[in-house]
Amino acid sequence: MSSRDRRQDVTIKDVAQAAGVSYATVSRVINNYKHVTPDKRERVVNAMIRLGYVVNQQARSLAGGHSGVIGLLVPDVGNGYIGEVIRGIDAELAANQYDLMLYTTHRHPSKESMYVATLTRGMTDGLLLLLPLNPSAYLDALHQKQFPYVVIDHQGFDDFSPTIIARNFVGAYNAIRYLIDLGHRRIGFVAGTPELASAIERLNGYKQALRDCGLEFDPALVENGDFQQPTAYAAATRLFALADRPTAIFAASDISAFGVYDAAYMAGLRIPQDVSIIGFDDIPQAANTHPRLTTVRQPLYEMGRQATRMLLEEIECPSGVVRRIEFDTELIIRDSCQPLNGLPSSQTVGRGGASV
Amino acid sequence: MSSRDRRQDVTIKDVAQAAGVSYATVSRVINNYKHVTPDKRERVVNAMIRLGYVVNQQARSLAGGHSGVIGLLVPDVGNGYIGEVIRGIDAELAANQYDLMLYTTHRHPSKESMYVATLTRGMTDGLLLLLPLNPSAYLDALHQKQFPYVVIDHQGFDDFSPTIIARNFVGAYNAIRYLIDLGHRRIGFVAGTPELASAIERLNGYKQALRDCGLEFDPALVENGDFQQPTAYAAATRLFALADRPTAIFAASDISAFGVYDAAYMAGLRIPQDVSIIGFDDIPQAANTHPRLTTVRQPLYEMGRQATRMLLEEIECPSGVVRRIEFDTELIIRDSCQPLNGLPSSQTVGRGGASV
DNA sequence: ATGAAAGCGCTAACAG
DNA sequence: CTGTTAGCGCTTTCAT
């Protein structure tokens, strides 16, 4: 089927011949075996360089070696949140000479299982699952197969999956406390996909903060969303149309917050004078909006790195120990909130301040 | 090396046995050969389903079949521009059942050659090169090898590389003409990496527009950049410090434009009242800044799609014809420019207008 | 220490 | 139409 002439590629046999050794020896040199005489090793290395030998990963992994590639499943690409995590993964992978196979599930739970099946059939040495929608469908199998994997941002309901997660509950809790401290009482919440544990945790944090402050939970102030901008726009529009409209809105993601921004502008509400807004994630764009978005920071890049490190360690020396790392979230105060009927709360100067 | 037990995976031999046929027949069924009796085909399919057979891509491609994976080389991930292109690529790939292998060169020209060498050694059926920095080092070889590839966003200096590109010159030209029409005479330019042809084209468009309007080209108004925000910030800061500071700035990318925004705010300049700003790309964030960024739109997503389509066609039925598709750019007028000493130029209402 | 040889799972002739 | 078989390039025993 493939039109190109693979015969022109140089293989270990060519190298062996050129170096005057058996091709098993070449394989040994490539794989850094200890017991090869320096003399032969050098001859082989020279031949490899001279001939421009490049290893064929497929053959290597078929024959039982490792493939040197890690599979990554993400719901989609091109959104800030995922981009940051991928950056972290990519950095760690590159540092360890691993390659990346990227799969987008396009938020189709059924695709997940399919991809997992393919990827674990020799193509990859391990799997990174970001925001899986339907992990129960295959996590058991992976675990049984002892196939290395790490789940990012999904507080699993099992106790055998290595996991990287941020403290979503605390992050949301603190955000709401901050809003309440500013005097807000009617706080709207544009929630995330209820299938995702992180969305639920954020909702719980919201509720708990209200409760701890003696505020009543009003279901009318909570709109379901999906972390995306258009949905958040629609949700916020409904919230702003309420007779007793919220004076502050907490969005389950920065992208949602941008949708809330849009809705506020369309409703003629000024931020933060007429409505305070807080996001979640702290993606790079959050600092480029106007006013700059106050948000709950997740260390996305670092989460990607750590997940990868965890996976690579498990691949290279399997311990069987199930680790779970929780990252702290941090409230990043910028310019999108202010005390109810008060002055801007931002302590910052510069861009945000000057532009008001 | 790999700890998991691959023997538990079901192979075509298992399927063959279960279906009572030779394993070549199973292969034929998998590859949709015409000459297989419906009866046997059905038995094979049933056996595959019953046993949960999943093809091993490595073996398949080693044996001469296609790997079903496309390699993509990008300078980095997580920036809006690249994310959009990847989205397009991903969509087209998914529609055609191809998988994606993603490589980040981290802007190291030397890594490019290395990755290309690895990827063309059986791992992939074709290559997509986005913004290559050092293509001359390997494009010849790829072409000679007849290895399918498509270059995105790099007006090649060769005539044998299939290419997807936007009309950078015209885009920049029109942006400057627009600024001049608004009355601006001192127009600064925060340029892109001079190694990239697109950066040069944009600079040329800038110069030509000036020339056509009888304006003198002032080298002091052009700052070199690298398409990134921090560099653009520094560049714009210098521009704003000029005795005869520019009243408008054209940034070679939207990300650069954000850096210019930062610099303007820090310098206490209002956008667009004190300085007009135009970007290039129209990444999603461009509409989320304040004021919303006027910019030159490249159809990033579509460019990714088309590049992929072109590559897949060449892989599936090699024609040897070198195609080159140029996409039109479009000036998207938002709220970051206004006539010199005049009123806002934006025709839009809603978010932008209401927020001023 | 190193060569010989047996596959890994699959595709692609080649027979029949 | 279908079974047999020879590899694809490499890792990994098993001898030596």
Side-chain angles (χ1 to χ4, degrees):
Chain A
M1 179 132 300
S2 78
S3 61
R4 62 217 109 87
D5 197 351
R6 54 183 0 130
R7 271 148 291 178
Q8 69 190 241
D9 286 336
V10 0
T11 73
I12 52 171
K13 293 196 181 179
D14 301 319
V15 175
Q17 192 168 30
V21 298
S22 76
Y23 73 90
T25 300
V26 177
S27 175
R28 291 194 180 95
V29 171
I30 292 171
N31 293 290
N32 263 313
Y33 262 64
K34 30 224 139 210
H35 304 302
V36 182
T37 46
D39 165 50
K40 291 206 170 176
R41 183 183 296 277
E42 197 188 316
R43 267 156 58 204
V44 170
V45 170
N46 285 339
M48 292 201 311
I49 295 172
R50 187 152 44 81
L51 270 48
Y53 171 79
V54 177
V55 67
N56 181 323
Q57 288 286 8
Q58 325 250 7
R60 178 199 290 240
S61 105
L62 220 210
H66 73 149
S67 69
V69 1
I70 293 300
L72 169 63
L73 246 65
V74 301
D76 62 34
V77 281
N79 105 29
Y81 164 89
I82 291 169
E84 280 303 292
V85 179
I86 296 185
R87 274 187 53 232
I89 292 171
D90 175 59
E92 194 62 29
L93 246 27
N96 291 279
Q97 249 88 275
Y98 272 83
D99 297 332
L100 180 66
M101 197 118 192
L102 179 70
Y103 283 78
T104 308
T105 63
H106 301 282
R107 305 182 189 287
H108 275 292
S110 65
K111 279 197 187 178
E112 286 185 25
S113 319
M114 224 182 63
Y115 288 153
V116 168
T118 311
L119 286 169
T120 55
R121 275 291 273 151
M123 299 202 82
T124 59
D125 294 336
L127 239 43
L128 249 19
L129 305 166
L130 178 56
L131 284 171
L133 282 176
N134 188 27
S136 56
Y138 47 81
L139 249 38
D140 279 319
L142 283 182
H143 180 244
Q144 223 114 60
K145 230 182 162 186
Q146 298 215 53
F147 193 93
Y149 71 91
V150 172
V151 184
I152 308 174
D153 207 345
H154 187 279
Q155 18 263 95
F157 301 108
D158 60 58
D159 54 352
F160 57 79
S161 291
T163 304
I164 295 286
I165 194 85
R167 299 189 207 280
N168 289 293
F169 178 90
V170 180
Y173 183 90
N174 289 340
I176 301 303
R177 286 299 295 246
Y178 170 69
L179 251 17
I180 294 174
D181 287 348
L182 289 179
H184 294 280
R185 293 296 171 267
R186 300 274 301 160
I187 302 173
F189 182 40
V190 176
T193 323
E195 284 79 43
L196 257 19
S198 54
I200 298 169
E201 287 295 302
R202 289 172 204 176
L203 176 58
N204 289 341
Y206 165 85
K207 287 180 180 170
Q208 186 65 45
L210 253 36
R211 197 173 306 128
D212 287 0
C213 296
L215 293 176
E216 203 184 335
F217 171 71
D218 179 357
L221 289 180
V222 175
E223 285 276 350
N224 276 321
D226 58 1
F227 292 119
Q228 305 300 307
Q229 192 161 342
T231 319
Y233 171 83
T237 300
R238 286 192 294 273
L239 252 19
F240 289 141
L242 254 32
D244 191 9
R245 73 161 176 79
T247 61
I249 289 192
F250 175 44
S253 74
D254 286 352
I255 297 284
S256 312
F258 299 156
V260 179
Y261 268 50
D262 293 338
Y265 286 123
M266 285 308 276
L269 299 170
R270 291 163 306 163
I271 307 167
Q273 293 89 337
D274 301 319
V275 60
S276 288
I277 297 174
I278 291 192
F280 204 111
D281 285 346
D282 194 28
I283 59 179
Q285 295 113 283
N288 282 328
T289 55
H290 177 86
R292 299 177 317 150
L293 182 66
T294 289
T295 189
V296 180
R297 174 163 215 279
Q298 295 195 76
L300 270 9
Y301 179 87
E302 198 52 32
M303 285 165 72
R305 278 195 85 112
Q306 279 295 345
T308 309
R309 191 166 302 159
M310 209 154 121
L311 180 64
L312 261 30
E313 280 172 13
E314 194 55 30
I315 289 172
E316 279 157 17
C317 41
S319 69
V321 181
V322 176
R323 288 198 286 155
R324 175 190 174 88
I325 303 182
E326 289 198 12
F327 281 84
D328 276 330
T329 50
E330 181 190 359
L331 184 64
I332 304 290
I333 297 177
R334 296 206 181 90
D335 316 317
S336 62
C337 299
Q338 76 168 43
L340 191 59
N341 308 320
L343 293 164
S345 71
S346 172
Q347 313 303 328
T348 61
V349 286
R351 172 165 178 177
S355 64
V356 173
Chain B
M1 178 131 302
S2 78
S3 61
R4 63 218 108 88
D5 197 350
R6 54 180 2 126
R7 270 147 291 177
Q8 69 191 240
D9 287 334
V10 1
T11 73
I12 52 172
K13 293 196 182 180
D14 299 321
V15 176
Q17 194 168 27
V21 298
S22 76
Y23 72 92
T25 300
V26 177
S27 175
R28 291 194 181 95
V29 172
I30 291 170
N31 292 289
N32 262 314
Y33 259 63
K34 30 224 137 207
H35 306 301
V36 182
T37 46
D39 164 51
K40 293 208 168 174
R41 182 183 298 277
E42 197 187 315
R43 267 156 58 204
V44 169
V45 170
N46 285 339
M48 292 202 310
I49 293 171
R50 185 153 43 81
L51 271 48
Y53 171 79
V54 177
V55 67
N56 181 324
Q57 287 287 8
Q58 325 251 6
R60 178 200 289 238
S61 105
L62 222 208
H66 74 149
S67 69
V69 2
I70 293 300
L72 169 62
L73 247 65
V74 301
D76 62 34
V77 281
N79 105 31
Y81 164 89
I82 292 170
E84 280 302 292
V85 180
I86 296 185
R87 273 188 52 233
I89 292 171
D90 175 58
E92 193 62 30
L93 246 29
N96 290 280
Q97 248 89 273
Y98 272 83
D99 297 331
L100 181 64
M101 195 119 195
L102 179 70
Y103 283 77
T104 307
T105 63
H106 301 283
R107 305 181 190 288
H108 275 294
S110 66
K111 280 197 187 177
E112 286 185 25
S113 319
M114 223 182 64
Y115 288 152
V116 168
T118 312
L119 285 169
T120 55
R121 276 290 274 154
M123 299 202 82
T124 59
D125 294 336
L127 240 42
L128 249 20
L129 305 165
L130 179 56
L131 286 170
L133 282 176
N134 188 30
S136 56
Y138 48 80
L139 250 37
D140 280 318
L142 282 182
H143 180 243
Q144 223 114 60
K145 231 180 161 186
Q146 298 214 55
F147 192 92
Y149 70 93
V150 171
V151 184
I152 308 174
D153 207 345
H154 187 280
Q155 19 263 97
F157 301 107
D158 60 58
D159 54 352
F160 57 80
S161 291
T163 305
I164 295 286
I165 194 86
R167 299 190 208 281
N168 290 292
F169 179 90
V170 180
Y173 183 90
N174 288 341
I176 302 302
R177 286 298 296 247
Y178 170 69
L179 253 16
I180 294 174
D181 286 349
L182 289 180
H184 294 279
R185 292 297 173 265
R186 301 271 303 158
I187 302 173
F189 182 41
V190 176
T193 324
E195 284 80 42
L196 256 21
S198 55
I200 298 169
E201 289 295 301
R202 289 172 203 176
L203 177 58
N204 289 341
Y206 166 83
K207 286 179 179 170
Q208 186 65 44
L210 254 35
R211 199 174 303 130
D212 287 359
C213 295
L215 294 174
E216 203 183 336
F217 170 71
D218 180 357
L221 288 180
V222 176
E223 286 275 350
N224 275 320
D226 58 1
F227 293 120
Q228 305 301 307
Q229 192 160 341
T231 319
Y233 172 82
T237 300
R238 285 191 295 273
L239 252 19
F240 289 141
L242 254 31
D244 191 9
R245 73 162 175 77
T247 61
I249 290 192
F250 175 45
S253 74
D254 286 351
I255 297 285
S256 312
F258 298 157
V260 179
Y261 267 50
D262 293 338
Y265 287 123
M266 285 307 276
L269 299 171
R270 292 163 306 162
I271 306 168
Q273 293 89 336
D274 302 319
V275 60
S276 288
I277 296 174
I278 291 191
F280 204 110
D281 285 345
D282 194 27
I283 58 178
Q285 295 116 283
N288 281 328
T289 56
H290 178 86
R292 299 178 317 150
L293 182 65
T294 289
T295 189
V296 180
R297 174 163 216 279
Q298 295 194 76
L300 268 10
Y301 179 87
E302 198 50 33
M303 286 166 71
R305 277 196 86 111
Q306 279 296 344
T308 309
R309 191 165 302 160
M310 208 154 121
L311 180 64
L312 261 29
E313 280 172 12
E314 194 56 29
I315 289 171
E316 280 158 17
C317 41
S319 69
V321 181
V322 176
R323 288 198 286 156
R324 176 191 174 87
I325 302 182
E326 289 198 13
F327 281 83
D328 277 329
T329 51
E330 181 191 358
L331 184 63
I332 304 291
I333 297 177
R334 295 205 181 90
D335 316 317
S336 62
C337 299
Q338 76 168 43
L340 190 59
N341 307 320
L343 294 165
S345 70
S346 173
Q347 313 301 327
T348 61
V349 285
R351 170 166 178 178
S355 64
V356 172

